């Protein structure tokens, strides 16, 4: 391979930057293309995706060496960019299930639906350990305890199957545990990215804590689940046990990327940088490129600056500031994954499983995951389970909003409220499928007289990443509208049940006494009927809190094992309900 061909393999562009001139794939010898959140073909259908990616692939195969393209996508709770895909609960809900086998099944379905449309690589799962619920990515974490995260890393097996041996199958994809390491453990107020408050901030820690909390999931990912690619974090680490330590961005941290992850832990896959992550490093662009390559990053997500990246890295190698050995190491790691994926033999999309996308069988598994994720936090007077014969009054926008119940990373990066973006069943529709007499009023303005039970569905609207950070237009406190609905419904109807549809615990301390039952529903995705399954006792409540539930926003961070541990509901809490 020529130097240009090698550096091409290390370069990843976003489809939006190359779609109008696809010959760039050939001229730049690109190794990879990705779809960012919400970046879709004009026809956002399974065949639309497959046709688009196969078109890109033909341009890669027109290069001198015919090296196939690796296409990456954020399938973080199903193939969530695709309209019609099965949308599963986000990771925090899956963590509540405490069911590693179910998580593996969920991600196997995600892999099947994803690869049938062309992408062979997913930027998932997030094996972050969330330590502060003010973080806008809390819902991407399985929980606050690294042991729970490690248990849920069966997600990697669901994506990849049995390591490199299964990757060539048409129902498997390359997984990417992320974000190495400490992204869920940053200190509030340390983010320097625009208006973010905690996402992409600084993990201020000593080595013992970092190894036990933040690094542990990656040891498991590499040694037990054969992770083939890993994405370093936007965040930084600052050591408290090293005098004079300054924050170092993970993309520049050779000690952690090369000495610890690759050499000590034994990671032999490749590292993919996050979206323009190297642009946050000190110095000019050439310095940023040189620093990140020498730190150990192998492939570079440079969505709109692939030509500039290739020029800069070429100049750095020619000047002797990046060794050819480092380039060869990176390219060898990338090509190994392409061989394991079977792309050299079968570069184009195998569409055999395209008919399974959003199938009843797949949605049934999602519905089961929803049911198992529900956490019963309060149940006075045996308010739950409900009876189909009861007259049920349902209030709250989130009762009948697919977009809100799916959250961020759904069709678009930030997600969107409403019921028109993708197919599914709302929580209200799930209740209506069981109960005989249901009244729905989003703002609780309809008359409540004659109702046996009120169901108030509160919660958040969609967000993703640091956009959802508390202090960046968001809060853990419930909205005034939700508070008013609780006051009205719980004050007028004898039995009152509250469901919280959110990506993290919300502050309900002052409202708790007003309700008979409280259920944390998380972000269930497309199958809201799974919530009704436990409300009516068709399936039992088995979910347990994967995070501690704070009494107030000011109590964060609060985590199991803290010296003064007094949350409203402790980690692992969850009741059962019997008739």
């Amino acid at each position: 391979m020529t130097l240009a061909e090698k550096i091409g393999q290390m370069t990843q562009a976003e489809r939006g930057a190359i779609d109008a001139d696809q010959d760039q794939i050939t001229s730049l010898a690109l190794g990879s293309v990705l779809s960012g959140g919400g970046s879709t073909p004009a026809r956002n259908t399974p065949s639309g995706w497959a046709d688009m990616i196969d078109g890109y692939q033909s341009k890669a195969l027109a290069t001198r060496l015919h090296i196939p393209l690796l296409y990456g996508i954020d399938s973080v709770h199903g193939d969530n960019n695709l309209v019609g895909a099965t949308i599963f609960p986000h990771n925090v809900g899956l963590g509540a299930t405490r069911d590693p086998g179910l998580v593996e099944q969920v991600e196997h379905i995600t892999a099947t639906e994803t690869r049938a449309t062309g992408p062979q690589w997913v930027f998932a799962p997030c094996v972050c350990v969330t330590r502060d619920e003010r973080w806008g990515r809390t819902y991407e974490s399985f929980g606050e305890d690294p042991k729970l995260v490690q248990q849920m890393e069966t997600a990697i097996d669901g994506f990849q199957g049995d390591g490199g041996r299964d990757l060539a199958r048409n129902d498997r994809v390359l997984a990417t545990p992320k974000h190495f390491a400490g992204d869920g453990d940053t200190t509030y107020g340390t983010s320097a990215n625009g208006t973010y408050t905690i996402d992409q901030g600084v993990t201020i820690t000593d080595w013992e804590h970092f190894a036990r909390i933040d690094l542990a999931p990656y040891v498991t990912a590499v040694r037990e689940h054969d992770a083939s690619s890993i994405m370093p974090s936007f965040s930084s680490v600052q050591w408290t046990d090293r005098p004079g330590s300054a924050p170092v961005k993970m993309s520049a941290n050779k000690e952690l990327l090369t000495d610890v992850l690759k050499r000590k832990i034994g990671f032999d896959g490749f590292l993919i940088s996050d979206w323009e992550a190297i642009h946050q490093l000190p110095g000019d662009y050439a310095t940023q490129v040189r620093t990140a390559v020498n730190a150990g990053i192998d492939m570079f997500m440079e969505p709109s600056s692939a030509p500039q990246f290739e020029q800069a890295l070429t100049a750095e190698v020619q000047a002797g500031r990046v060794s050819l050995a480092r380039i060869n190491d990176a390219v060898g790691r990338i090509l190994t994954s392409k061989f394991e994926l079977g792309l050299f033999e079968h570069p184009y999309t195998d569409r055999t499983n395209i008919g399974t996308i959003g199938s009843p069988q797949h949605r049934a598994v999602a519905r089961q995951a929803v049911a198992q994720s529900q956490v019963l936090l309060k149940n006075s007077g045996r308010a739950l389970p409900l009876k189909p014969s009861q007259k049920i009054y349902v209030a709250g926008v989130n009762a009948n909003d697919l977009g809100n119940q799916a959250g961020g990373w759904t069709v678009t990066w930030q997600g969107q409220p409403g019921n028109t973006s993708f197919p599914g069943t709302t929580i209200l529709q799930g209740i209506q499928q069981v109960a005989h007499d249901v009244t729905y009023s989003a703002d609780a303005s309809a008359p409540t007289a004659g109702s046996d039970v009120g169901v108030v569905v509160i919660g958040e609207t969609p967000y993703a990443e640091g956009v959802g950070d508390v202090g960046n237009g968001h809060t853990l406190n419930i909205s005034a509208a939700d508070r008013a609905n609780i006051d009205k419904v719980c004050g007028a109807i004898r039995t009152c049940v509250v469901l919280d549809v959110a990506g993290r615990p919300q502050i309900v301390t002052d409202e708790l006494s007003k309700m008979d039952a409280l259920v944390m529903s998380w972000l269930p995705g497309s199958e809201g009927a799974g919530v009704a399954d436990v409300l009516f006792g068709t399936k039992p409540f088995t979910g347990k809190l994967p995070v501690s539930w704070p009494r107030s926003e000011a109590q964060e961070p609060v985590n199991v094992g803290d010296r003064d541990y007094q949350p409203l509901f402790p980690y692992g809490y969850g009741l059962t309900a019997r008739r």
Side-chain angles (χ1 to χ4, degrees), residues 19 29 38 71 112 116 139 178 205 210 216 226 264 278 319 351 373 381 394 405 417 424 449 472 516 526 528 558:
D19 192 61
Y71 201 94
T112 301
Y139 63 76
K178 63 183 187 183
T205 183
F210 184 79
D226 196 21
K264 184 175 181 180
I278 68 168
R351 308 187 190 202
S373 72
V394 181
Q405 75 182 39
N472 189 24
D516 298 292
S526 62
V558 56

Side-chain angles (χ1 to χ4, degrees), residues 3-75:
L3 178 61
E5 288 166 335
K6 292 174 182 177
I7 289 177
Q9 286 302 302
M10 297 173 66
T11 309
Q12 182 185 66
E14 212 282 330
R15 59 157 294 280
I18 54 94
D19 192 61
D21 180 14
Q22 297 179 22
D23 287 335
Q24 292 178 87
I25 297 173
T26 311
S27 62
L28 295 171
L30 290 179
S32 181
V33 174
L34 84 147
S35 277
S39 180
T40 70
R43 291 186 303 113
N44 192 350
T45 63
S47 60
W49 276 93
D51 291 344
M52 177 186 73
I53 293 171
D54 283 352
Y56 297 157
Q57 191 66 276
S58 69
K59 297 296 183 179
L61 297 176
T63 56
R64 181 179 73 95
L65 296 178
H66 316 298
I67 299 176
L69 201 66
L70 186 57
Y71 201 94
I73 194 169
D74 289 284
S75 291

Side-chain angles (χ1 to χ4, degrees), residues 37 139 196 407-410 412-416 461-468:
Y139 63 76
Y196 292 8
W409 295 108
T410 311
T412 62
W413 175 41
Q414 290 294 317
Q416 60 288 304
T461 54
Y463 56 79
E465 299 191 44
V467 175

Side-chain angles (χ1 to χ4, degrees), residues 441-465:
S441 180
D443 62 356
S445 61
T448 58
S451 300
D452 297 315
V453 60
V455 177
V456 184
V457 187
I458 65 172
E460 297 182 309
T461 54
Y463 56 79
E465 299 191 44

Side-chain angles (χ1 to χ4, degrees), residues 160-423:
Q160 296 191 163
D162 185 10
R165 288 179 286 276
D166 285 346
L167 279 171
R169 288 174 39 171
N170 62 10
D171 60 344
R172 300 295 183 182
V173 291
L174 194 72
T176 311
K178 63 183 187 183
H179 305 88
F180 182 89
D183 55 331
D185 201 11
T186 56
T187 298
Y188 187 81
T190 60
S191 181
N193 185 8
T195 56
Y196 292 8
T197 56
I198 185 168
D199 188 37
Q200 304 186 18
V202 183
T203 305
I204 303 173
T205 183
D206 59 67
W207 175 257
E208 185 278 331
H209 173 94
F210 184 79
R212 178 171 53 87
I213 300 294
D214 305 311
L215 198 60
Y218 293 93
V219 177
T220 302
V222 171
R223 295 181 178 172
E224 296 184 24
H225 301 285
D226 196 21
S228 297
S229 71
I230 287 175
M231 183 181 290
S233 178
F234 278 115
S235 59
S236 307
V237 172
Q238 181 175 7
W239 302 110
T240 58
D241 52 352
R242 299 182 187 178
S245 172
V248 177
K249 283 282 184 184
M250 198 58 64
S251 297
N253 202 318
K254 183 177 181 181
E255 177 191 13
L256 290 175
L257 296 184
T258 296
D259 299 342
V260 173
L261 179 58
K262 289 183 174 180
R263 292 175 181 162
K264 184 175 181 180
I265 297 175
F267 175 61
D268 60 3
F270 69 96
L271 294 177
I272 170 71
S273 66
D274 209 332
W275 184 280
E276 293 186 342
I278 68 168
H279 297 205
Q280 298 185 7
L281 301 183
D284 60 15
Y285 189 59
T287 302
Q288 293 167 339
V289 170
R290 175 175 70 251
T291 300
V293 172
N294 287 335
I297 292 181
D298 303 302
M299 185 184 283
F300 289 76
M301 190 185 292
E302 290 291 281
S304 56
S305 52
Q308 295 90 330
F309 170 78
E310 293 193 2
Q311 292 164 10
L313 183 52
T314 299
E316 291 301 305
V317 174
Q318 291 172 340
R321 291 185 289 266
V322 174
S323 71
L324 194 56
R326 173 76 272 269
I327 299 296
N328 289 342
D329 173 57
V331 175
R333 291 167 179 268
I334 294 164
L335 292 179
T336 296
S337 286
K338 291 188 176 185
F339 277 112
E340 289 178 341
L341 283 161
L343 297 183
F344 285 89
E345 295 83 3
H346 303 287
Y348 293 108
T349 305
D350 182 338
R351 308 187 190 202
T352 302
N353 294 321
I354 213 164
T356 70
I357 294 171
S359 67
Q361 293 84 357
H362 288 182
R363 291 183 181 275
V365 175
R367 181 171 175 170
Q368 177 66 26
V370 173
Q372 288 186 224
S373 72
Q374 304 298 292
V375 181
L376 182 59
L377 297 171
K378 180 180 180 179
N379 192 29
S380 298
R382 305 182 79 177
L384 292 174
L386 303 177
K387 299 177 178 62
S389 59
Q390 289 176 309
K391 293 182 178 180
I392 300 175
Y393 185 102
V394 181
V397 170
N398 279 10
N400 194 38
D401 193 305
L402 277 174
N404 286 2
Q405 75 182 39
W409 295 108
T410 311
V411 183
T412 62
W413 175 41
Q414 290 294 317
Q416 60 288 304
N419 293 325
T420 60
S421 297
F422 61 95

